[in-house]
């Protein structure tokens, strides 16, 4: 049973929209539309979903990186940090400063964005990490160098400018920045997409190790379902701004209860594929004018009349597994993944 | 047979640092390969992070001078310092799609401006309707439209949308060679397949050759004709993509294939790498060795 004090993050009824005004015309993109979820301390939560479904927008809110035109319209995002509880949707910038890096760190999508192009990497580490770590001079440098070594980066990168590093090296530098202070809660947006598979594995192990050592919690977004399969304790699937299913990783892969999840876990291409895997029909939904009822209905192979009219609620469909689908009982895994013996138990 | 692109013994050495003391990095060492004009192909480069893939691409694009060796496009030397008109002609034939769409676009400019300036530059017209049509045509090829993009800034798009815009921009001058540096790393599996299929149809229908840089071995297998695998600046294996990936020979190639994560044991957290394989692969680092031909047509680097 989950204890109240085990909970590190509680998101309730979160709605965050991009509200813009172009030459007098208002436009609203409902990127996060009524998401409720909870995370326990020590947990690794993976978020998947198609491009532009609102994953980055959602974790921007979690990371307290909410900037106009993105606005939290409704709901709360409460953390229970060691230095006290905080709701990042209402906290002041000063309050957020007290948790950033040391308690809450955020690895953004597109690794360059946090690296200042005219500052050497070493200086950026000083800017971000020196104060929270409370170290200086040699001790600080030793700590950073040791940490970088775990990411397979030589000490020389500290002397380099961002443009002198390869894409994957920059990505590892940002992971280094976000983890060097051993924060309680790490948020990562596509943290390993620019890495080769050998280094990717090492970096994922590192994130897992830090998480275990420090009892940290991690929420990460990636398109790569095989990363979720091997790193996440639980996986949440976002479709058109809504969480449509979540549950323990193994259940999500082997017994998905939402047709979109079933599609996603089967869509991963494998070495040896000479033919395309079945793609989803139709176009991704427009978040400025999302479909009525279940947002997946225009593309759903199981859709019935009810789906076009009524929004399916998120309900528990198996222990720890919630799905928002009227026909969850009819969802069959589109398996191309061979479930190992005992996997369904 | 005429060659479209000829990369001849190309090396690139960077010098880094100033006050902290100089340090040199051999980003690319003695790379050679060529693409023919008659048989457009998807030529894939995979390999270690930091192994010189982007550097090689930048040299082919004439954005960086090789330290040694030559790169010839249709028999003419790629020259960063050629005259303006000549550079422009070259650039309309060899178009890039870069690794990170967030870096490729100026955050302060609307996306269509970027497409528009490409269209204006390469189509040699300032006719608004013609430019709009060219932009819309190439956006349609990547599953977007001018209507959807108009008036939007890069930060208003998701990573996947932005990457498709970058490909659309590169397609505007109808180039015979496209250099796509990790064009799909930021998009989901279905979109990834649609972009990869787009590259395939560019090759098959429009006879465009594509240099495809990726970390995704599955799509590399799916679309490539030939591929090279790079480790620390050196090509360690080269040949028919399926021959190599079905049965990689070089220790690094084998490690690469073995490290691909699978979903078969979802939830079990399998992240270990076989230390023996790792040692074997690391063993070749820093050694020159020699690329030798194998009976099945591949080339593999071997060490005396
Ligand atoms: N600053 C912004 N202003 C307006 N709209 C935005 C902004 N940022 C994102 N959007 C829109 O919000 C929607 C969700 O975008 P988001 O970046 O959250 O998607 P994502 O799931 O992270 O996609 P990807 O996997 O491609 O990165 C998209 O339709 C996008 O165009
Ligand atoms: N402008 C530069 N100045 C100094 N060193 C550089 C420069 N550009 C690249 N390098 C170095 O050259 C090496 C190769 O970098 P490159 O970007 O070509 O790698 P890559 O194979 O594309 O890696 P990734 O898969 O991570 O993108 C790296 O060690 C990098 O630090
Ligand atoms: S509610 Fe209906 S449309 Fe939505 S996923 Fe379930 S079956 Fe498909
Ligand atoms: Mg995103
Ligand atoms: Mg690169």
């Amino acid at each position: 049973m989950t204890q109240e004090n085990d909970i590190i993050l509680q998101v309730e009824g979160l709605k965050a929209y991009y509200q813009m005004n172009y030459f007098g015309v208002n436009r609203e993109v409902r990127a996060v539309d009524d998401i409720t979820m909870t995370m326990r301390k020590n947990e690794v939560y993976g978020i998947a979903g198609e491009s532009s479904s609102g994953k980055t927008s959602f974790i921007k809110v979690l990371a307290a990186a909410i900037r106009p035109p993105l606005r939290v319209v409704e709901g709360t995002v409460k953390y229970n940090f060691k230095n006290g509880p905080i709701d990042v949707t209402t906290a002041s910038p000063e309050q957020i400063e007290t948790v950033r890096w040391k308690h809450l760190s955020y690895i953004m999508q597109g690794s360059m964005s946090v690296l200042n192009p005219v500052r050497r990497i070493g200086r950026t580490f000083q800017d971000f990490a020196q104060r929270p770590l409370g170290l200086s001079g040699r001790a600080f440098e030793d700590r950073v160098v040791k940490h970088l070594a775990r990411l397979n980066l030589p000490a020389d990168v500290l002397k380099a400018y961002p443009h002198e590093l390869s894409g994957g090296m920059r990505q590892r530098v940002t992971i280094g920045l976000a983890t060097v202070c051993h924060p309680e809660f790490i948020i990562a947006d596509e943290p390993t997409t620019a890495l080769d598979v050998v280094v990717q594995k090492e970096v994922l192990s590192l994130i897992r190790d830090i998480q275990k050592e420090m009892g940290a919690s991690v929420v990460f977004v990636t398109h790569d379902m095989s990363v979720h399969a091997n790193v996440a304790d639980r996986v949440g699937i976002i479709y058109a701004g809504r969480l449509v299913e979540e549950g323990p990783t193994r259940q999500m892969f082997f017994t998905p209860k939402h047709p979109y999840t079933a599609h996603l876990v089967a869509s991963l291409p494998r070495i040896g594929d000479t033919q395309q895997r079945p793609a989803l029909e139709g176009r991704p939904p427009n978040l400025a004018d999302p479909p009525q009822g279940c947002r997946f209905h225009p593309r759903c192979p199981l859709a019935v009349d009810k789906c076009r009219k009524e929004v399916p609620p998120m309900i528990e469909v198996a222990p720890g597994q919630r799905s928002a689908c009227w026909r969850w009982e009819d969802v069959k895994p589109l398996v191309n993944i061979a479930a190992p013996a005992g996997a369904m138990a | 047979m005429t060659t479209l692109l000829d990369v001849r013994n190309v090396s690139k050495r960077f010098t880094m640092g100033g006050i902290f003391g100089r340090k040199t990095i051999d980003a690319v060492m003695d790379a050679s390969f060529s693409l023919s004009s008659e048989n457009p192909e998807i030529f894939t480069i995979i390999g270690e992070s930091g192994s010189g893939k982007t550097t090689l691409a930048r040299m082919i694009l004439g954005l960086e001078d090789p330290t040694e060796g030559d790169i010839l496009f249709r028999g003419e030397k790629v020259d960063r310092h050629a005259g303006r008109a000549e550079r422009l002609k070259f650039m309309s034939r060899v178009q890039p799609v870069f690794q990170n769409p967030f870096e490729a676009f100026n955050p302060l400019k609307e996306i269509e401006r970027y497409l528009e300036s490409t269209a204006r530059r390469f189509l040699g017209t300032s006719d608004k309707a013609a430019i709009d049509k060219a932009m819309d045509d190439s956006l349609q090829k990547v599953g977007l439209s001018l209507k959807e993009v108009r008036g939007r800034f890069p930060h208003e798009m998701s990573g996947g949308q932005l990457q498709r815009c970058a490909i659309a921009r590169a397609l505007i001058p109808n180039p015979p060679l496209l250099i796509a540096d990790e064009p799909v790393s930021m998009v989901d599996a279905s979109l990834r397949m649609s972009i990869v299929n787009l590259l395939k149809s560019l090759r098959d229908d429009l006879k465009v050759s594509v240099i495809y840089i990726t970390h995704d071995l599955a799509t590399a297998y799916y679309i490539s004709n030939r591929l090279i695998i790079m480790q620390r600046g050196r090509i360690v294996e080269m040949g028919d993509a399926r021959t190599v990936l079905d049965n990689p020979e070089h220790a690094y190639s084998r490690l690469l294939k073995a490290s691909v994560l699978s979903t078969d044991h979802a939830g079990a957290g399998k992240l270990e790498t076989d230390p023996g394989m790792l040692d074997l692969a690391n063993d070749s680092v820093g050694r020159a060795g020699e690329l030798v031909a194998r009976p099945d047509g591949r080339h593999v680097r071997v060490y005396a």
Side-chain angles (χ1 to χ4, degrees), chain A residues 45-46 48 225 228 232-237 245-249 252-253:
Chain A
Y45 190 99
M225 295 307 290
H228 289 297
D233 297 316
R234 282 196 298 152
V235 176
I237 308 293
E245 186 171 8
E246 69 165 9
T249 304
M252 296 292 280
F253 276 83

Side-chain angles (χ1 to χ4, degrees), chain B residues 222-242:
Chain B
Y222 173 71
I223 56 164
S224 322
N225 300 87
R226 285 186 299 156
L227 62 74
I228 58 182
I229 297 179
M230 294 186 68
Q231 181 193 28
R232 227 61 63 89
R234 289 197 173 88
I235 297 175
V236 295
E237 193 155 353
M238 166 157 79
D240 174 73
R242 291 181 185 172

Side-chain angles (χ1 to χ4, degrees), chain A residues 22 51 112 156 196 229 270, chain B residues 23 49 103 156 188 197 264 267:
Chain A
Y22 284 124
S51 288
M112 266 308 252
D156 288 330
D196 69 72
R270 299 179 155 218
Chain B
K23 187 169 183 291
S49 170
E103 290 169 35
E156 297 176 18
D188 63 70
N197 280 325
D264 292 348

Side-chain angles (χ1 to χ4, degrees), chain A residues 246-259:
Chain A
E246 69 165 9
T249 304
R250 176 181 278 222
Q251 279 160 246
M252 296 292 280
F253 276 83
F254 297 118
T255 51
K257 296 291 178 212
H258 192 285

